Amino acid sequence: MKALVISPQPFFSPRGTPFSVYYRTLVTSELDVKIDLLTYGEGDDVDIPNIRIIRIPRFAALGNVKNGPSVLKLFLDVFMFFWTIALLLRNRYDFVHAHEEAVFYCWFLKPFFRFKLVYDMHSSLPQQLSNFKFTTSRFLIDLFKKMEDACLECSDAVITICPDLTEYVFDHIENKEKHFLIENSIFETVKLKNVRTAHNIDMPEYVQGLNIKLPENKKFIVYAGTLERYQGIDILIDSFHEVVNKCSDVFLLIVGGDKAQVDKYSLYAEKKGLIGKIIFTGRVEHAVAKYFNSIASVIASPRCAGTNTPLKIYELLASGIPIVATNIYSHTQVLNDSVAYLVEPEPKDLAKGIVNALKLDQEHDSKIKNAMSLYEQKYSREIYVEKMKQLLKHLSKC
């Protein structure tokens, strides 16, 4: 089989974190599918067999592509549209695998080129317009909604990444058999071409290139992710103020965020009297974030809003480290009380959960064991590969 995969984001760039596209493409190639991957100019080439990466111009003067909708992405997607046409004119593909908004122009082109279309739905695009405050125009949001509905209906297969999106899709398609829930649940090291990357888990205390010295003889509470408002970083800082009053040997690592966000929350922590007890690393490579998670005594996910399951949750399940997460749907689609310390998104509840997770008792050990077992049973690489096989089998029958 031969496929055209369209990824409207930097590939591969840790800044754009297109891990879901990488793993989807990696496993598809392992299943003997030859792939043309059309993507933005920004990013590094990956070392995957059976793949040819095709990039539109870089336009470096316009800056880096950020997560979520943007004017820059709209500009770049115009070029993606014309590159897609050129590839469809020159090649015969068994199917076209469109990630996110790429499905819109594939939906338009499908009647002309008569290809099988896979819509890889990482989120509801109309919801993104609102969530990222790209527009408040009811007309634009409704237009995107109608386009998304049409794309769902015309696609030969639809992939969703969490139960919330599955429920959304089931409300909008008649043929439920064309839907596949394939969580972004694998997390092996990304292999880049001709790029030196630091994936050594035994990093020194002065973490590579960051000039950060971690304190000795401390139990690390680690949060790794973006510092957007919905992530509940203020709740985490407030809770840590409670934790240090009960456990003197703890230290908080907050990994991620741009300079403005780090400055904002550093000032907030200073006002709480937590200077010297928290380190903000800012945005780091994925391998470095993994290192920080690996030294944690507790990993916290204080998210206070949202419905999509965070990608990191699957890796945390398999980590052998206790998870403290807020009891919201974003988490409980995957987590439950047997595998994690679920708490309300309030400082006192989060603090209580962290303190309990630090105890090396039977509950601590039981949750870790159950979490690792859940990952193996429902989200392991073997399960992921089997789901991709079922998708390809479905497409061969369309």
Side-chain angles (χ1 to χ4, degrees), residues 4 98 100 168 185 193 239 247 257 264-265 267 369 385:
L4 173 60
E100 293 281 48
Y168 179 86
S185 60
K193 285 185 178 179
S239 74
C247 308
K264 170 188 172 182
Y265 286 114
L267 181 61
K369 181 181 178 180
V385 171

Side-chain angles (χ1 to χ4, degrees), residues 65-85:
V65 177
K66 298 180 180 179
N67 291 331
S70 67
V71 174
L72 177 56
K73 289 192 77 173
L74 285 174
F75 172 76
L76 295 175
D77 284 346
V78 172
F79 289 85
M80 292 284 285
F81 172 72
F82 287 109
W83 254 252
T84 299
I85 293 175

Side-chain angles (χ1 to χ4, degrees), residues 95-109:
F95 64 93
V96 176
H97 190 145
H99 289 263
E100 293 281 48
E101 72 266 21
V103 76
F104 289 150
Y105 41 90
C106 290
W107 161 62
F108 174 78
L109 294 172

